[in-house]
């Protein structure tokens, strides 16, 4: 695969992920265009049911590739690896549900840029949990993300909405998920099996919790079939597969920049579909976050290349 084709594949994955923020928002807007409650009424579609169903659909998309990967493996997956796959799923569920609850109460643009704050958290958590010393670019990156978040919320962090707080809290679990996936995909050498396993875990936990806490009706689920199908088949199933394929042929620095564009596509989709607009200081905050995240991901690769 050529580098250009790999980059285009990653760009398509980023476009799908960015547009999915809008879909996640649309699934919880009423006929008047107002956000429904994060805690649904009896029979209504809730975040738990939406998350559970979409990830089970994504698992079905990846399942044939995972079975093919398993058939070609020289030995079965080790029990510790299987346990790690489930742990990845638990972290993915926690990050996904906090993000989904947050999107209901904030704008798509804010959700996209705030979710991306997990990027500088990954090396920071790696320092405390795995004793991995991060690249120096992490520290100005964290400062830049903090400053950008301040501008994104109108120059007052205390003015963050409940939705913003939910999305921001979820970044901790997204970062832990990245670390967990990196650990167990390296140990097992089974990226597609890990993906399918974690998707099944998220879907199972989400549906069980939904039946206990939300009790959605079939009518409410079928009314959101388009949003569920988009978020499940495209965002979870196809986009992940595109990422796996694209990163095999793309330069790591290219992949970092392109995948970071997810937040930009989220803002564009929010502006086009929902008519969202930012104030000048909020645009400045979004730009600072974007630059900081790209710096955190790209500068270490450039440093390694320079040393070589």
């Amino acid at each position: 695969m050529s580098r250009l084709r790999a980059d285009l594949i990653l760009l398509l994955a980023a476009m799908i992920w960015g547009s999915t923020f809008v879909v996640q928002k649309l699934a919880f807007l009423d006929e008047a265009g107002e956000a429904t409650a994060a805690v649904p009424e009896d029979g209504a579609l809730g975040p738990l049911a939406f998350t559970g169903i979409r990830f089970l659909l994504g698992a079905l998309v990846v399942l044939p590739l995972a079975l093919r990967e398993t058939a070609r493996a020289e030995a079965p997956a080790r029990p510790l690896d299987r346990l790690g796959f489930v742990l990845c799923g638990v972290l993915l569920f926690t990050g996904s549900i906090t993000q989904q609850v947050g999107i209901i109460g904030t704008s798509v643009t804010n959700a996209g840029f705030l979710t991306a704050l997990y990027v500088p958290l990954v090396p920071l958590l790696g320092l405390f949990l795995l004793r991995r010393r991060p690249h120096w670019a992490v520290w100005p990156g964290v400062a830049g993300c903090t400053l950008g978040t301040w501008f994104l919320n109108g120059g007052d962090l205390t003015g963050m909405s409940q939705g913003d707080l939910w999305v921001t809290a979820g970044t901790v679990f997204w970062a832990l998920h990245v670390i967990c996936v990196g650990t167990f995909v390296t140990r097992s050498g089974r990226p597609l099996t890990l993906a399918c396993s974690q998707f099944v875990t998220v879907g199972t936990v989400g549906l069980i919790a939904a039946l206990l806490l939300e009790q959605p009706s079939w009518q409410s689920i079928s009314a959101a079939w388009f949003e569920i199908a988009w978020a499940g088949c495209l965002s979870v199933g196809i986009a992940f597969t595109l990422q796996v394929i694209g990163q095999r042929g793309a330069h790591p620095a290219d992949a970092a920049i392109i995948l970071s564009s997810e937040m930009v596509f989220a803002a564009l989709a929010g502006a086009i579909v929902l008519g969202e607009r930012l104030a000048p200081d909020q645009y400045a905050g979004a730009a600072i976050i974007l630059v900081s995240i790209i710096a955190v991901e790209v500068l270490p690769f450039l440093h390694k290349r320079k040393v070589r």
Side-chain angles (χ1 to χ4, degrees):
M1 181 184 301
S2 68
R3 182 170 175 175
L4 175 60
R5 180 175 295 182
D7 288 351
L8 291 175
I9 289 174
L10 291 176
L11 183 63
L12 179 57
M15 291 174 64
I16 293 174
W17 282 329
S19 63
T20 301
F21 280 92
V22 170
V23 173
Q24 290 177 257
K25 182 78 172 183
L26 289 174
F28 294 90
L29 295 181
D30 58 23
E31 295 180 357
E34 298 294 330
T36 58
V39 180
E41 300 176 355
D42 290 343
L45 179 68
L48 290 168
F50 181 83
T51 300
I53 297 171
R54 68 176 284 217
F55 274 94
L56 285 180
L57 284 177
L60 289 176
V61 174
V62 180
L63 180 60
L65 300 175
L67 291 175
R68 181 183 178 186
E69 182 181 76
T70 300
R72 292 183 172 185
E74 297 180 356
R78 292 169 290 185
L80 182 59
D81 292 337
R82 294 183 184 275
L83 183 62
F85 296 168
V86 174
L87 176 60
C88 290
V90 171
L91 292 172
L92 179 58
F93 168 78
T94 311
S96 298
I97 195 62
T98 52
Q99 181 195 68
Q100 183 58 60
V101 172
I103 287 176
I104 296 174
T106 188
S107 67
V108 167
T109 303
N110 275 28
F113 280 90
L114 291 176
T115 296
L117 296 179
Y118 80 88
V119 174
L121 277 180
V122 171
L124 286 181
L125 291 175
L127 172 63
F128 293 110
L129 298 177
L130 304 176
R131 297 294 187 266
R132 294 176 181 171
R133 185 176 180 181
H135 188 269
W136 62 265
V138 167
W139 308 113
V142 170
C145 285
T146 304
L147 179 63
T149 303
W150 184 77
F151 278 112
L152 190 64
N153 286 277
D156 184 9
L157 290 180
T158 60
M160 296 179 72
S161 67
Q162 285 191 352
D164 292 332
L165 293 174
W166 273 101
V167 174
T168 304
T171 61
V172 177
F173 300 102
W174 288 118
L176 290 172
H177 175 255
V178 170
I179 294 173
C180 189
V181 168
T183 300
F184 286 99
V185 79
T186 302
R187 277 179 49 90
S188 66
R190 300 167 185 259
L192 295 171
T193 305
L194 186 155
C196 189
S197 300
Q198 68 175 358
F199 295 162
V200 170
T201 301
V202 176
T204 302
V205 173
L207 279 186
I208 291 175
L211 292 174
L212 293 175
L213 302 175
E214 295 176 349
Q215 300 177 346
S217 66
W218 174 250
Q219 183 179 2
S220 67
I221 294 173
S222 60
W225 71 267
F226 175 80
E227 290 83 2
I228 293 173
W230 182 291
C233 297
L234 278 179
S235 177
V236 176
I238 294 177
F240 171 81
T241 306
L242 291 175
Q243 180 193 11
V244 172
I245 295 172
Q247 285 199 257
R248 290 180 177 179
H251 187 276
D254 293 354
I257 295 174
I258 293 170
L259 294 177
S260 294
S261 68
E262 171 190 357
M263 68 189 86
V264 178
F265 288 115
L268 289 174
I272 294 171
V273 179
L274 300 175
E276 293 183 356
R277 297 294 185 271
L278 298 179
D281 56 342
Q282 291 178 306
Y283 277 114
I288 292 172
I289 291 174
L290 178 61
V291 171
S292 300
I293 287 173
I294 291 176
V296 168
E297 293 192 332
V298 174
L299 285 178
F301 292 118
L302 296 180
H303 175 72
K304 290 180 181 179
R305 186 174 181 180
K306 185 177 180 180
V307 170
R308 291 177 184 177

